[in-house]
Amino acid sequence: FELGLEANFFDNRVRADIAYYNNHSIDQLMPVTVSPLSGYSSIWMNSGEIVNQGVEVSLTANVVKTDNFNWDLSANWYKNNNEVVRLYKAASGEEVTNILVMSAWDASVNATVGQPYGVIRGTDFVYHANGEPMVGANGYYMRSDASDEMIGNIQPDWNAGLSSRMTYKGFSLNVLFDGQKGGDIYSVNTKYGQATGVYAET
């Protein structure tokens, strides 16, 4: 479902739009790993449930309006909370709680029940009680023994955009700025550079 409010002011020269949504997506199409003895590495099946809920706010203003020149500014901001509710049942009848979406080197992107879609798993640091990573005798951060800890999430905290449209006697200029806060990234290029010794730290 979605709830929204749209309002126009000053002869429609200022427009505001606020919306809240809650969306349950079921029977997602996902690849499921099977035994290679079957002749295949995976099959596609409809299963699972993902919940998306969030808020979107947009504001548009006609800043300048003359006979020959028109300038419109539009800004929007939105935040989406995402959670994997369930995946699928294995042949044994047990509920699967994690699906590997992709992997590269020592990190993987996953769909994990109870977590946002796109959890990054890998080897984490060892931390002090205050949350600071421990440094070993060799001067490097100490790493944990586990290789499947949750170390990140590809989902951003929020996204925003700003657009500007200027029109003069039939000519128009559009400028768009997009940005996001948050969302973790695993750099495969950096890993290749470290493995082949072309980066300064190696």
Side-chain angles (χ1 to χ4, degrees):
F1 67 88
E2 181 174 339
L3 301 174
L5 174 66
E6 186 176 328
N8 299 337
F9 307 94
F10 310 113
D11 292 329
N12 292 330
R13 292 192 62 179
V14 177
R15 301 183 297 277
D17 192 354
I18 302 172
Y20 167 79
Y21 60 88
N22 190 315
N23 181 26
H24 288 243
S25 302
I26 62 173
D27 291 336
Q28 300 294 288
L29 186 62
M30 57 181 65
V32 176
T33 303
V34 297
S35 170
L37 297 176
S38 65
Y40 299 91
S41 60
S42 64
I43 61 172
W44 287 90
M45 62 185 297
N46 291 95
S47 187
E49 179 181 358
I50 296 178
V51 174
N52 286 284
Q53 58 181 344
V55 177
E56 182 169 2
V57 179
S58 70
L59 182 66
T60 302
N62 182 216
V63 181
V64 178
K65 186 176 183 179
T66 66
D67 292 338
N68 295 322
F69 181 72
N70 201 58
W71 182 22
D72 290 317
L73 276 176
S74 181
N76 77 312
W77 176 92
Y78 64 93
K79 176 179 177 62
N80 180 66
N81 292 320
N82 172 285
E83 182 183 346
V84 178
V85 178
R86 63 182 177 84
L87 294 171
Y88 68 95
K89 283 188 177 181
S92 62
E94 296 182 12
E95 290 283 347
V96 173
T97 58
N98 188 83
I99 289 180
L100 174 67
V101 177
M102 66 86 61
S103 64
W105 290 87
D106 53 358
S108 64
V109 177
N110 301 263
T112 304
V113 172
Q115 298 293 331
Y117 181 87
V119 166
I120 301 175
R121 291 179 179 269
T123 301
D124 202 355
F125 297 120
V126 177
Y127 296 95
H128 292 285
N130 63 2
E132 292 293 321
M134 294 184 180
V135 178
N138 59 2
Y140 291 96
Y141 288 129
M142 297 174 64
R143 295 168 50 143
S144 67
D145 295 328
S147 61
D148 63 344
E149 296 186 57
M150 285 188 281
I151 58 174
N153 173 21
I154 67 173
Q155 301 289 343
D157 297 332
W158 51 260
N159 294 76
L162 176 67
S163 66
S164 172
R165 177 186 174 92
M166 298 183 208
T167 305
Y168 178 73
K169 289 186 177 181
F171 294 93
S172 64
L173 173 66
N174 290 290
V175 180
L176 176 65
F177 298 94
D178 276 323
Q180 75 176 42
K181 177 184 181 297
D184 296 307
I185 296 172
Y186 178 86
S187 175
V188 177
N189 286 347
T190 300
K191 196 67 179 181
Y192 270 111
Q194 292 172 340
T196 54
V198 297
Y199 283 170
E201 62 264 31
T202 63

